[in-house]
């Protein structure tokens, strides 16, 4: 039987669980402040340090949505975080993938793309040459980012979003499902539609 690398989860996001279950990693269990999944429950957040002292070789995967919690966990466990790239994705050897990024299956990451720390690139997303994705940004399924795009930190691009080449998107931007970003988005907030227009100055990230 092929040896599998070991990982523990913080949270129980289902698409991450599914991805890891079909990879070279074995999920040993999860931490969370509530027991709510069929995976082995390892304890609350404040039990993580104690567990790591006894299991120093395991990697950590943050499998939860709330951004503030994710940022704090990243800061605390940065050196232990799993950086995951699916073998079923096409990722250029010239791309730069930072610590804690999670790239799911069927993605395309082109030449000289830069993906920041703790980003999540979901199933079927395409990021073309020379584009830059800021830290803690999520790209939802089937989104397409064309060449030379710059996306800030703490953004969330909704499923099916298309971003035109050479466009710049500021920090803390969210786009709705199937939005088309055809010009620079210079203010934080929620953008929807074709072309994408700002409808709120704040949003609740999934």
């Amino acid at each position: 039987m092929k040896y599998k690398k070991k990982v523990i989860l913080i949270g129980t996001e289902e698409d991450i669980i599914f991805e890891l279950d079909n990879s070279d990693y074995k999920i040993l269990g999860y931490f969370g402040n509530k027991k709510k999944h069929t995976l082995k429950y390892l304890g609350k957040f404040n039990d993580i340090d104690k567990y790591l002292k006894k299991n120093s070789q395991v990697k950590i995967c943050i499998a939860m949505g709330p951004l503030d919690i994710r940022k704090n966990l990243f800061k605390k466990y940065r050196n232990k975080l799993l950086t995951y790239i699916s073998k079923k994705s096409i990722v250029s050897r010239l791309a730069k993938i930072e610590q804690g990024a999670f790239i799911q299956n069927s993605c395309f990451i082109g030449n000289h793309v830069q993906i920041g720390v703790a980003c999540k690139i979901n199933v079927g997303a395409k990021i073309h040459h020379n584009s830059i994705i800021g830290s803690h940004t999520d790209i939802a399924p089937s989104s397409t980012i064309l060449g030379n795009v710059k996306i800030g930190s703490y953004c969330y691009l909704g499923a099916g979003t298309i971003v035109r080449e050479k466009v710049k998107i500021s920090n803390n931007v969210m786009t709705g499902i199937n939005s088309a970003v055809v010009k620079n988005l210079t203010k934080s907030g929620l953008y929807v539609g074709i072309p994408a227009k700002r409808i709120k100055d704040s949003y609740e990230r999934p």
Side-chain angles (χ1 to χ4, degrees):
M1 182 177 178
K2 187 178 179 180
Y3 172 76
K4 286 198 169 189
K5 293 168 278 189
K6 297 175 182 179
V7 63
I8 58 173
L9 305 182
I10 304 177
T12 54
E13 191 172 322
E14 290 294 345
D15 56 351
I16 287 179
I17 293 170
F18 180 80
E19 183 75 46
L20 292 174
D21 276 343
N22 290 275
S23 74
D24 294 333
Y25 286 89
K26 178 181 179 180
I27 301 173
L28 300 180
Y30 74 98
F31 288 89
N33 282 339
K34 293 182 179 179
K35 186 177 181 180
K36 58 179 181 179
H37 201 276
T38 55
L39 288 174
K40 184 178 180 180
Y41 182 63
L42 300 174
K44 297 183 177 182
F45 291 159
N46 56 14
D47 297 320
I48 296 173
D49 289 344
K50 182 178 178 181
Y51 181 90
L52 290 176
K53 286 181 180 179
K54 297 180 179 180
N55 302 274
S56 60
Q57 300 304 310
V58 300
K59 288 290 187 178
I60 296 173
C61 181
I62 301 173
M64 59 191 312
L67 182 58
D68 288 344
I69 298 176
R70 285 170 57 178
K71 286 164 62 178
N72 289 334
L73 291 169
F74 175 82
K75 184 177 181 180
K76 186 172 184 179
Y77 298 112
R78 178 170 186 159
N79 293 331
K80 297 291 295 181
L81 284 186
L82 170 68
T83 301
Y84 177 84
I85 302 173
S86 172
K87 292 181 179 179
K88 296 179 181 179
S89 286
I90 300 173
V91 179
S92 168
R93 61 181 177 82
L94 301 177
K96 183 178 181 181
I97 313 297
E98 297 284 2
Q99 183 74 23
F102 197 96
I103 300 175
Q104 293 189 243
N105 68 83
S106 304
C107 293
F108 172 87
I109 311 294
N111 283 348
H112 307 293
V113 167
Q114 298 179 43
I115 295 178
V117 299
C119 288
K120 182 181 177 186
I121 313 301
N122 218 308
V123 176
K126 299 175 180 64
I127 304 175
H128 291 268
H129 64 90
N130 299 97
S131 289
I132 299 173
I133 312 298
S135 61
H136 297 279
T137 285
D138 287 3
I139 309 298
S142 301
S143 295
T144 300
I145 299 167
L146 298 178
N148 292 287
V149 167
K150 186 174 182 180
I151 298 175
S153 298
Y154 316 120
C155 294
Y156 185 98
L157 267 61
T161 293
I162 298 176
V163 183
R164 184 178 180 177
E165 67 275 4
K166 299 182 180 180
V167 161
K168 295 181 180 179
I169 297 177
S170 66
N171 297 338
N172 296 295
V173 165
M174 179 177 179
T175 63
I177 292 173
N178 291 329
S179 295
V181 181
V182 298
K183 62 181 181 180
N184 294 345
L185 305 183
T186 59
K187 296 181 179 180
S188 62
L190 173 61
Y191 293 77
V192 301
I194 305 173
K197 295 182 179 180
R198 187 169 179 261
I199 62 169
K200 291 183 179 180
D201 58 8
S202 63
Y203 61 88
E204 184 175 347
R205 179 167 164 159

